[in-house]
Amino acid sequence: MAKKTSKNNELLNSAKRITSNKIYSLLLELVNNDEEDLASEVLKIDYILNYACNCIKQKDYVEAKEAISSGETRIAMLKDKGVNVEHLEYLFEGTKKKCR
């Protein structure tokens, strides 16, 4: 079976432009293991954490805490399924520290 890349997979193609290298490599690993549903969940978590950071910048701490809570739940779900979420946890902890 050919390895999936951003050239032959729509999810990876769209994600390559908007994610960091570490998130993209996690997505690449998941897609090549036929776990695209988990890869899309990783994208959602990345988006939620970025959204929480934007809320913190705008001093909307209530909305940021809700986003952080949602991200924490989704990270736990991925962790239960055996996905390497080390980088996502790192991003989560950094975002959580910023929120009052």
Side-chain angles (χ1 to χ4, degrees):
M1 186 168 123
K3 191 172 186 180
K4 295 179 182 173
T5 64
S6 63
K7 292 182 180 180
N8 60 13
N9 185 284
E10 186 62 36
L11 177 77
L12 292 175
N13 187 20
S14 64
K16 189 169 186 169
R17 292 180 297 242
I18 60 172
T19 61
S20 67
N21 289 337
K22 289 188 177 187
I23 296 293
Y24 181 75
S25 65
L26 177 59
L27 293 172
L28 188 62
E29 178 185 329
L30 289 170
V31 168
N32 281 309
N33 290 335
D34 290 327
E35 297 176 333
E36 264 192 64
D37 55 332
L38 296 178
S40 64
E41 195 65 32
V42 168
L43 277 175
K44 290 176 187 175
I45 293 169
D46 188 47
Y47 174 79
I48 287 170
L49 294 177
N50 284 331
Y51 176 72
C53 284
N54 287 337
C55 289
I56 292 168
K57 287 178 186 174
Q58 295 174 359
K59 300 191 184 329
D60 186 359
Y61 297 111
V62 174
E63 189 70 24
K65 286 181 182 180
E66 287 179 25
I68 288 171
S69 175
S70 174
E72 184 175 31
T73 305
R74 289 173 184 256
I75 289 172
M77 187 258 322
L78 284 178
K79 201 175 204 180
D80 289 342
K81 292 189 179 185
V83 177
N84 179 8
V85 293
E86 183 178 327
H87 184 66
L88 288 172
E89 287 177 329
Y90 170 76
L91 294 174
F92 171 77
E93 291 301 323
T95 305
K96 190 174 178 182
K97 284 181 183 177
K98 291 179 189 176
C99 191
R100 294 180 189 174

